Amino acid sequence: MGDKIVKIFEDSVSLYKGTADKIVDIYTEAVKNIGDFTIALSGGGTPKKLYELLATSHYTDKIDWNKVKVFFGDERYVPRDHPDNNSKMAREALLNHVSIPESNIFVFDTSLPPQKSASEYAKSVKSELGENYPHFDLILLGLGGDGHTASLFPWTPILKESKKMVKQVFVRKMGTYRLSFTYPLINAANNVIFLVSGSSKSDIISEILDDSANDNRYPAQGVQPLGQLYWHLDRYAASGLPTG
Ligand code: 6PG
């Protein structure tokens, strides 16, 4: 596990460009070494512009989407066509605009009960990436104001999961189930990029990236991948950091 690499970008436009460029680098390395590229996309609002950028010709010229396998690091327990569904957002922003075979897109089946949906998804992860802890080439993550990432929310039992790779979690404050990668799967990744934008995240970023606070109060701090960890921030999200 190497130390984290924190990159602060001047604004959100350069944040998305810098992240798209890093994705191309990781993709190129993976395809050179093993012939394909496995990525787990994050949800929420922040990555939407990144996905739209990846759908532009500048990037589609650099990525052969036939060699890309797309998973989702977490999903809301809503139907696939629900406006809150992460895979719906990713399809509309990116996947519908690139030549990726449908068989390369792995979405949660939220028509199943939560536990079954999670276990079936874990099976698809294993079948595509191998039985032992599968190493995603890249897992993209966002950060919530409470320090959650994926659907690893503070004080929830999923944080203690040390065996299962994908789990369901009832998020009391939302009154709904979520489906999420667990720490064992996230931390087996070759690369993890946190993508964080906007001044609303500056407080939590300061809490999490202030190395003097060596507590582990926030779920995002449990992301300590075997591979390389990147924090990609715009200067607004980084404004509370000593160098921000
Ligand atoms: C989700 C995400 C979640 C998200 C954060 C930040 O399903 O919502 O996986 O972890 O990344 O909540 O969300 P925003 O980008 O909308 O601030």
Side-chain angles (χ1 to χ4, degrees):
M1 178 186 78
D3 198 6
K4 60 183 176 290
I5 296 174
V6 180
K7 286 190 178 170
I8 299 172
F9 296 87
E10 183 55 25
D11 54 26
S12 60
V13 170
S14 51
L15 169 70
Y16 293 123
K17 184 184 179 318
T19 304
D21 291 345
K22 175 53 76 178
I23 292 172
V24 168
D25 292 347
I26 297 170
Y27 156 87
T28 305
E29 185 69 13
V31 166
K32 187 179 73 177
N33 294 338
I34 51 173
D36 69 10
F37 171 63
T38 55
I39 183 171
L41 298 179
S42 60
T46 302
K48 187 167 185 288
K49 285 192 169 55
L50 169 66
Y51 300 160
E52 289 167 347
L53 181 59
L54 286 170
T56 61
S57 56
H58 177 76
Y59 288 99
T60 52
D61 292 348
K62 295 179 168 58
I63 295 176
D64 176 355
W65 285 89
N66 287 289
K67 295 177 180 168
V68 182
K69 291 183 179 166
V70 174
F71 289 78
F72 295 86
D74 75 321
E75 190 54 277
R76 292 81 179 277
Y77 190 62
V78 293
R80 283 183 200 185
D81 60 354
H82 188 283
D84 289 349
N85 187 281
N86 287 333
S87 64
K88 179 179 186 296
M89 182 273 281
R91 284 184 187 276
E92 289 168 354
L94 172 58
L95 302 176
N96 291 346
H97 309 285
V98 294
S99 59
I100 183 169
E102 186 58 30
S103 57
N104 280 23
I105 303 172
F106 300 84
V107 300
F108 283 89
D109 181 354
T110 51
S111 67
L112 297 171
Q115 186 172 358
K116 183 74 173 158
S117 178
S119 60
E120 287 302 304
Y121 203 67
K123 281 182 196 163
S124 62
V125 169
K126 286 179 189 173
S127 70
E128 289 302 322
L129 280 79
E131 277 297 315
N132 299 319
Y133 278 128
H135 303 280
F136 274 89
D137 295 309
L138 173 59
I139 297 180
L140 274 180
L141 293 174
L143 179 69
D146 60 357
H148 83 261
T149 189
S151 287
L152 303 173
F153 285 86
W155 320 117
T156 54
I158 193 172
L159 300 180
K160 297 197 180 339
E161 180 56 52
S162 61
K163 297 256 182 304
K164 289 190 169 68
M165 294 191 271
V166 185
K167 263 203 98 167
Q168 78 289 351
V169 55
F170 185 74
V171 186
R172 205 180 303 279
K173 68 178 179 181
M174 294 177 166
T176 181
Y177 274 100
R178 289 283 192 99
L179 303 158
S180 182
F181 282 13
T182 59
Y183 284 132
L185 182 53
I186 293 171
N187 287 334
N190 294 331
N191 296 277
V192 174
I193 300 177
F194 275 100
L195 179 70
V196 190
S197 171
S199 54
S200 68
K201 304 288 174 72
S202 63
D203 289 346
I204 190 64
I205 282 289
S206 301
E207 295 272 328
I208 288 180
L209 292 187
D210 174 358
D211 289 330
S212 59
N214 57 4
D215 56 13
N216 256 330
R217 268 187 294 163
Y218 301 108
Q221 292 172 297
V223 173
Q224 298 165 12
L226 274 177
Q228 183 57 60
L229 174 60
Y230 298 91
W231 283 86
H232 282 194
L233 318 170
D234 61 22
R235 68 183 165 93
Y236 311 105
S239 56
L241 292 177
T243 53

